Amino acid sequence: MRVTIAKDNYRNLTAAEIEQLERQGNYAEDWSTVRVAEPFRAASVRNSTFEGHVALGANVTIRDVRLLSDYTLGDNVTLFNIGEMTGGGTPKPLEVMNENGGRAILPFAGMTIGDAYMWARYRGRKAFMQKLEDFTSHLAPFTTHRSHVGDCCTIKNTTCIRNVNILSCEEDPTVVDSCITLIDGVVGYGCTVEHGVIAERFLLGEHVHLEFGLRLNDTVVGDNSTLARCEVGNSIIFPAHEQHHNNSFLIAGLIMGQSNIAAGGTIGSNHNSRTADNEIAAGRGFWPGLCCSFKHSSRFASYCLLAKGDYPAELDITLPFALVNNNVSKDQLEVMPAYWWMYNMYAMDRNSKKFAKRDKRVVKAQHIEFDNLAPDTAEEMLHGMELLRKWMAAAKDGVVYAEGMEKSKRKTVVLKAAEGLKAYEDMLVYYAMKNLPQPITHHSSLITKEWVNIGGQLVAKSDMEQLIADVEKGALDSWEAIHGRFDALWEAYPAVREAHAYGVLCRLAGAEKLDDAQWQRYQQRYAEIQNYIEEQKVASRHKDEVNPFRNMTYWDDDERQAVL
């Protein structure tokens, strides 16, 4: 855990310093509760009143604060004209994923997105839940009863900060600016919060950007995410999420990262039972288009792209990389599997690279799998192939109907089912081959088939069950120990993923072990798929370049090139 809340390099003021401070218009009910770090220059402190426990780090600048109590300030902190900044309150629980509070968690400095999800998700394991509460009760500020601002943090013109721990350091400074309100939360390293944000009961991962009037409550926001202008509440959002439109709305959701909520999105805007007890769960790469609305409860496989529409019933989209459309004229739900692979290879390739490229975290406490072809999506595709074969075998008059994707009596039509089946197989071959060494080493085909996404880190379900059991029996006895286990699993992940890749090829081949001829065929097919990917990247981008409607706002190619 990269958290340095408590410091032991503070000292009490000398009698001469106290005398000078009082001479300069400063007042404290008890000067013994004011402690400072070196270097401290008493001559720089004027017309201030100190209340409660105050610890000032080295080179701290404070101007016109008017109220500051129960806060520890790190070194090189800059505060300016804040208005109110009070700490010392007991952290409030976050009612994440469900408005009823049945998944409430207690945030703490150093909590990862995976910690929050694990605590909210495994509610049926009561002994495990009790252990997590016990681990947390021994952490600051639960024990120190004061809040913390980390080194090199800048806070300017802030309206109200109350009971918020702000993590910051020299190599990963945090900035809070421009009339914001933060109450009962944790701000991670390298974050920027500015321009009228109102946030209450929250946890921000690292390098999160909140701005432009965002309203946030009871929500965990993953690393490298941007939220602006919108309303978000009672949710857990995994890393690399984008949502920055005035009229987008996300309530009671689990969004598993690398996602984008477009304008007009109303996710969780309606209740269709007698209480607010329903949820939305979306895998990695969730991307609802303009003006989408969904009913609780709904679930989406990874990398679902949803066309503009008011979806009238609950959804369970089990095909990954799919395009989903509510066809109003035909009164049917339509799902096209493997849409990204078949029609937008440029975006699919770019998405895998851009999230890793944008990751500016200095210390990566939350491990993240950025590749869209990974063990979790591979298993979803294998399951999708089974479903497609089943539905294709039952097709009538050439139309393939899906089952169980919508809570409705109307039909769900699978578009381009045969092409999607072939695309899934190609995607699986590509995933497997790019993760296997050349030449291939011997692997067992007995592989992990169930995976869980813990805040962005992919973990075998069996390893997660073992972690929970070890916490319950005391073998893991702190959050630091849990993080150490996740670190160890991350170190082992490349080898486990390699074994999984080999097992995927064996399952496709219907064999327990690949012989030389099968391996050679997969090598040849891999080369062909690589060529296909390069061709499709160019082709999908070229469609935009030659589209006359995209080009008509430019006078000529030179202007278009300069702009784009």
Side-chain angles (χ1 to χ4, degrees):
M1 296 173 70
R2 183 179 61 138
V3 179
T4 55
I5 290 181
K7 293 188 176 183
D8 57 7
N9 60 338
Y10 295 101
R11 64 171 177 82
N12 291 327
L13 295 166
T14 66
E17 287 171 333
I18 293 173
E19 181 181 355
Q20 182 178 5
L21 289 169
E22 291 179 337
R23 211 168 44 241
Q24 293 167 180
N26 300 293
Y27 169 80
E29 291 183 351
D30 183 356
W31 284 110
S32 68
T33 64
V34 179
R35 302 170 65 237
V36 298
E38 297 294 352
F40 172 70
R41 295 185 293 276
S44 299
V45 183
R46 298 176 181 274
N47 303 317
S48 298
T49 297
F50 297 93
E51 298 182 6
H53 292 274
V54 178
L56 300 178
N59 301 316
V60 171
T61 300
I62 302 174
R63 291 286 303 275
D64 305 322
V65 174
R66 291 186 295 277
L67 176 63
L68 177 63
S69 71
D70 292 308
Y71 256 93
T72 298
L73 305 182
D75 297 340
N76 300 303
V77 168
T78 299
L79 310 178
F80 179 78
N81 197 28
I82 298 175
E84 174 184 341
M85 192 165 173
T86 55
T90 302
K92 302 292 192 300
L94 312 186
E95 296 179 0
V96 295
M97 292 174 59
N98 194 302
E99 293 174 273
N100 277 350
R103 298 188 186 276
I105 63 172
L106 287 171
F108 58 86
M111 187 181 218
T112 68
I113 310 307
D115 297 338
Y117 171 70
M118 179 174 60
W119 195 340
R121 189 68 178 84
Y122 290 92
R123 307 306 290 196
R125 305 290 290 266
K126 293 183 178 180
F128 182 54
M129 293 293 101
Q130 186 60 56
K131 288 285 189 179
L132 298 186
E133 289 185 24
D134 293 343
F135 296 164
T136 306
S137 67
H138 294 95
L139 300 173
F142 298 88
T143 55
T144 62
H145 301 293
R146 68 174 67 98
S147 300
H148 173 80
V149 176
D151 296 349
C152 303
C153 181
T154 299
I155 300 174
K156 302 185 296 183
N157 274 5
T158 301
T159 301
C160 176
I161 295 180
R162 186 183 306 148
N163 299 332
V164 177
N165 280 290
I166 303 175
L167 306 183
S168 180
C169 61
E170 183 177 0
E171 57 277 11
D172 234 354
T174 292
V175 176
V176 179
D177 195 7
S178 303
C179 299
I180 56 89
T181 298
L182 303 178
I183 299 174
D184 295 317
V186 177
V187 178
Y189 289 95
C191 289
T192 300
V193 184
E194 58 187 350
H195 304 316
V197 169
I198 300 175
E200 186 168 0
R201 300 181 304 278
F202 62 91
L203 171 72
L204 305 186
E206 300 189 19
H207 284 256
V208 173
H209 198 161
L210 308 183
E211 61 183 359
F212 298 131
L214 165 72
R215 291 161 293 167
L216 184 76
N217 71 278
D218 295 283
T219 292
V220 175
V221 183
D223 307 37
N224 305 325
S225 294
T226 299
L227 295 174
R229 303 179 183 90
C230 55
E231 180 181 353
V232 178
N234 304 96
S235 296
I236 292 183
I237 300 171
F238 283 13
H241 176 80
E242 296 288 328
Q243 185 174 351
H244 37 74
H245 301 284
N246 273 332
N247 51 352
S248 62
F249 177 100
L250 171 61
I251 302 294
L254 168 65
I255 310 297
M256 303 187 81
Q258 299 162 43
S259 40
N260 193 309
I261 307 298
T266 52
I267 301 170
S269 61
N270 48 32
H271 300 155
N272 43 310
S273 72
R274 285 167 290 280
T275 59
D277 58 357
N278 294 308
E279 304 169 2
I280 296 285
R284 293 197 290 144
F286 182 58
W287 197 316
L290 294 170
C291 301
C292 283
S293 65
F294 309 104
K295 283 185 178 293
H296 284 131
S297 293
S298 289
R299 182 174 60 177
F300 302 91
S302 299
Y303 293 93
C304 278
L305 175 65
L306 293 104
K308 174 181 178 179
D310 181 4
Y311 291 83
E314 299 92 322
L315 300 173
D316 186 11
I317 306 301
T318 48
L319 298 176
F321 300 98
L323 172 64
V324 182
N325 177 50
N326 178 37
N327 191 324
V328 177
S329 63
K330 295 183 179 181
D331 190 27
Q332 64 187 28
L333 183 71
E334 299 173 344
V335 182
M336 184 188 300
Y339 167 83
W340 290 92
W341 182 265
M342 294 191 293
Y343 294 105
N344 202 350
M345 186 69 76
Y346 175 83
M348 184 170 178
D349 180 72
R350 177 175 178 267
N351 285 346
S352 274
K353 296 174 181 176
K354 75 177 183 181
F355 295 124
K357 185 177 181 180
R358 293 175 182 177
D359 187 6
K360 305 300 182 183
R361 297 173 300 159
V362 175
V363 176
K364 301 177 181 180
Q366 175 62 60
H367 305 300
I368 306 169
E369 171 62 89
F370 289 113
D371 199 325
N372 47 33
L373 296 180
D376 61 336
T377 52
E379 290 298 329
E380 286 182 295
M381 286 188 284
L382 286 163
H383 178 59
M385 292 175 70
E386 293 177 3
L387 293 175
L388 288 174
R389 291 191 184 104
K390 172 186 173 183
W391 297 333
M392 290 167 66
K396 297 179 181 179
D397 299 324
V399 180
V400 179
Y401 295 106
E403 298 173 354
M405 285 202 185
E406 184 179 55
K407 188 177 181 292
S408 171
K409 294 181 180 179
R410 67 178 187 166
K411 300 290 187 180
T412 299
V413 177
V414 181
L415 304 177
K416 298 186 179 294
E419 294 91 331
L421 182 63
K422 169 65 164 55
Y424 279 159
E425 186 171 351
D426 285 345
M427 295 167 77
L428 287 166
V429 171
Y430 181 70
Y431 154 72
M433 293 299 292
K434 76 174 184 176
N435 282 299
L436 286 170
Q438 306 288 334
I440 189 173
T441 55
H442 294 291
H443 284 289
S444 169
S445 60
L446 299 176
I447 60 165
T448 297
K449 296 182 180 181
E450 294 184 274
W451 294 77
V452 289
N453 185 341
I454 305 293
Q457 179 176 356
L458 302 184
V459 177
K461 184 178 180 181
S462 57
D463 288 331
M464 192 64 215
E465 290 294 331
Q466 185 62 55
L467 183 151
I468 293 172
D470 287 344
V471 169
E472 290 174 336
K473 68 184 181 183
L476 297 176
D477 59 1
S478 66
W479 282 109
E480 287 84 356
I482 291 175
H483 293 170
R485 175 67 60 83
F486 280 123
D487 290 342
L489 292 172
W490 184 251
E491 290 179 7
Y493 175 64
V496 176
R497 180 177 54 194
E498 181 180 308
H500 180 266
Y502 181 76
V504 165
L505 289 183
C506 291
R507 289 154 76 182
L508 291 176
E512 292 187 1
K513 182 179 179 181
L514 298 179
D515 58 31
D516 290 339
Q518 289 170 319
W519 175 244
Q520 292 298 325
R521 285 197 295 271
Y522 280 126
Q523 282 188 312
Q524 177 61 34
R525 189 167 177 183
Y526 181 49
E528 294 169 355
I529 293 171
Q530 286 178 304
N531 290 334
Y532 171 79
I533 290 172
E534 294 306 313
E535 292 170 358
Q536 288 301 112
K537 284 194 297 185
V538 173
S540 58
R541 194 73 178 98
H542 184 64
K543 287 185 293 187
D544 292 337
E545 294 173 351
V546 299
N547 184 342
F549 285 87
R550 291 180 65 93
N551 294 327
M552 65 186 179
T553 60
Y554 306 102
W555 282 325
D556 51 37
D557 288 344
D558 290 339
E559 182 195 4
R560 178 182 179 279
Q561 184 66 26
V563 172
L564 299 182

